[in-house]
Each structure stands twice: as structure tokens, then as C-alpha cells.
Amino acid sequence: MQRSNERFVERLPLVLDRPVYAYILTSCFCAAALLLRIAAEPLLPVGYPFVTFFPAVILSSFLFGVRPGLFAGIICGAISWYVFIPPYGALTLNPAVAVAMLFYTGVVAVDIALIHFMQRANFNLAVERERSRALAENRELLFHELQHRVSNNLQVVAAMLSLQRRHVDHEVARQALDDASARLSLVGRISRALYDPSGAGQDMRIFLTTLTTDIVEASGRTDIGVVVTAPDGLRLDPNITVPLALVVAESVSNAMEHGLPDRGGAICVTLEMVDGALTLQIADDGQGVAPDFQLERGESLGLRIAHALAAQLGGHFALTSAPQGGAVARLDLPVSAAC
């Protein structure tokens, strides 16, 4: 309703099919003002000849523009002078009448001028709003195209690595190429999923649920259950979400590969925000972590990547054994990184 009112106001003054219609309607407003003034005559004190004619002038100017407004001002002024200013029925000019008509002319001129300037300002505002809308659409289109091209380029690089793998005989090198190709594909999917030109970000619970489901399905495991817990409506800046998603992906993959390599189990992903600081936990019910495990000296490339991403965000990443069994990967981000 409000939007409809705004669009109506932006179209003012109305441009009718034939200008004569505006003057016909203006004449009707003047006639209505005359009838209303006659009807109100017994209720009004002496000396209010213009009281019902000002609205007719204002309405005509508001709806049809300056010229119909001036037309209404002249017609209403003449009617008021002839009918309601003594001596009645004559256009007699004396000092008192001259003062009254000057007063009327000044008020009408100010009303018409103000309405005209407001409508011009409103028209310019509508033009700027339309230009801003067009720019926003172009920005969204360009942003979408850029995001699409970046994701496609990552997919192309991943495909090239997969093709290169066919010409490598060394098993370790083949596995490294497979890992690199999978990670590039994952980054491409994350970038595509995070597309939002407004910068508002994705709902983290929905995003993480989709991400972890894709990772488990891509591994071919049907015996792994994933539960994601996150605050309702939590949205983060994409600059934080991308590294955060990569940490989740590496931790979930590590839990399946090392914590639950030969049996089914559950993985719980928990994201919490307390006093502006973020805490991410990926817990599994698998084999746990060796007592002498040190993350900095670990051979897992995925965990080293997670540790590097945490450092990039100014946070801390750790992998420890849970008291009830299994392993817990924990990422803590300070307030400055989470904002």
C-alpha cells in the first residue's frame, strides 16, 4: 500500500490524455468549493470569503500542475470577490477589497510555488531512485557473473589437476593431486553457495548443514551421521565464512578418514557466538587423538590447512581427544575477527 502511494505521488502532476480535462476537473473543484462555501455560510462568521477556495487551488495544483493551479486561483478569487465580498454581486475595488485580494493572491502564489517545487524535487528523487535501482541491478548482475566465473575457473583448475593425475605414476603424487583437486572443487562450491551481492551473508546453520551433507555424500559414506547446531539467523561476513567453511570441511573429512575409518559414527558440528566471539567445534565418536599428537608436527595436510586458516583469521585451532571418547576440533575466533 505504501509503495503504491509512493508511485502515485511520483507521477504527479498527472498528465492526462488531453490537457482540457485538467481544466474541466479544476472547474469542478472550483464549483464544489463554491457550493461548500454557500452551504457553510450560516456557520461562518463574517470575513471568510476564501476559506473553502484555498483547498480547490491546492488540490488542482497538486494533481494537475502549475497552470491548472493558476487557473483555479483566478476563478476562485473572482468568485469570492463577486459573491462573498461586499458589495455583493459587483467587482468593486476599494482599499479593503484590495488588501483582501492581495492577501488571497499571496497565499495562492505561495501554495502553488511550494507544491511546484516539492513536485520537482519529488520527480528528481524518483529519477535518482530509478537510476539507483538500475545501477543495483547491474551491480548484482556483474557480481553474479564474477562469482560464476571465479567458481568456474576453480572447477576448471580442479579438472586440469584430475587430468594431470593420469600422467603421474607415483602414488603419493597422485594422492596429492586428488586432494588438491578436491579442495579446489570445494572452494568453488563454497564460493557459489555464498553468492549474495547485498553482502548480508548466508544463514550459517543452513549453510553448514548443506556443506557437511555434501562432504559426507562426496565421500561415499552412508554410515556417518552429521548434526549441525548454530544460532538461529546467524549470518557472517563472507570473508569469515569461507575460511570457516574450509575449516569445517577439513575437520569433517579428517574425522571420517582418521577417526571413523572403518566403522560408522556421528559427527557434531557446533557453532556458538558468545559476547561477539565465535567458537566452532567438530566432535566425533571415533578413535580419538593419540596422546603424543601435536598439531604443528602432524602429517595431515587438512589439519595444517585448518591451522593456517585459523591463524589467518587471528584465531586458534586445536585438535584434542574428548573425555567421552572421540576427537574434538575447536576453532576460536576473537571478537575482532567475528565482527
Side-chain angles (χ1 to χ4, degrees), residues 46-171:
V46 178
Y48 290 86
F50 313 114
V51 66
T52 61
F53 294 98
F54 287 131
V57 176
I58 294 172
L59 189 59
S60 300
S61 302
F62 183 74
L63 292 178
F64 307 122
V66 173
R67 293 181 180 179
L70 292 173
F71 175 76
I74 294 171
I75 296 299
C76 290
I79 294 174
S80 301
W81 187 0
Y82 186 79
V83 179
F84 300 106
I85 297 178
Y88 304 112
L91 298 178
T92 302
L93 184 62
N94 54 49
V97 173
V99 171
M101 294 308 297
L102 284 175
F103 170 78
Y104 170 80
T105 303
V107 173
V108 166
V110 170
D111 289 343
I112 294 176
L114 288 177
I115 291 173
H116 172 69
F117 288 131
M118 285 191 294
Q119 287 181 340
R120 292 301 303 173
N122 187 65
F123 173 78
N124 293 333
L125 181 61
V127 171
E128 290 299 325
R129 186 183 295 115
E130 182 64 22
R131 184 181 291 116
S132 299
R133 185 193 61 79
L135 290 174
E137 288 182 355
N138 290 335
R139 172 180 173 271
E140 182 175 352
L141 180 63
L142 292 174
F143 189 92
H144 185 274
E145 181 65 20
L146 176 62
Q147 195 80 355
H148 182 71
R149 288 182 180 274
V150 170
S151 298
N152 283 349
N153 289 341
L154 290 173
Q155 298 292 342
V156 169
V157 174
M160 292 173 62
L161 290 176
S162 296
L163 290 175
Q164 186 65 32
R165 176 184 181 279
R166 301 178 183 178
H167 304 285
V168 177
D169 296 330
H170 196 280
E171 185 61 31

Side-chain angles (χ1 to χ4, degrees), residues 8 20 34 52 68 78 99 113 116 120 128 160 162 189 207 209 214 217-218 258 305 308:
F8 174 74
V20 68
L34 173 60
T52 61
V99 171
H116 172 69
R120 292 301 303 173
E128 290 299 325
M160 292 173 62
S162 296
R189 292 198 303 273
F207 173 70
T209 300
D214 289 344
E217 290 180 352
H258 299 288
I305 290 176

Side-chain angles (χ1 to χ4, degrees), residues 279-296:
T279 298
L280 172 70
Q281 286 193 130
I282 300 93
D284 64 71
D285 57 356
Q287 300 176 8
V289 180
D292 58 347
F293 173 79
Q294 293 183 357
L295 180 63
E296 296 79 4

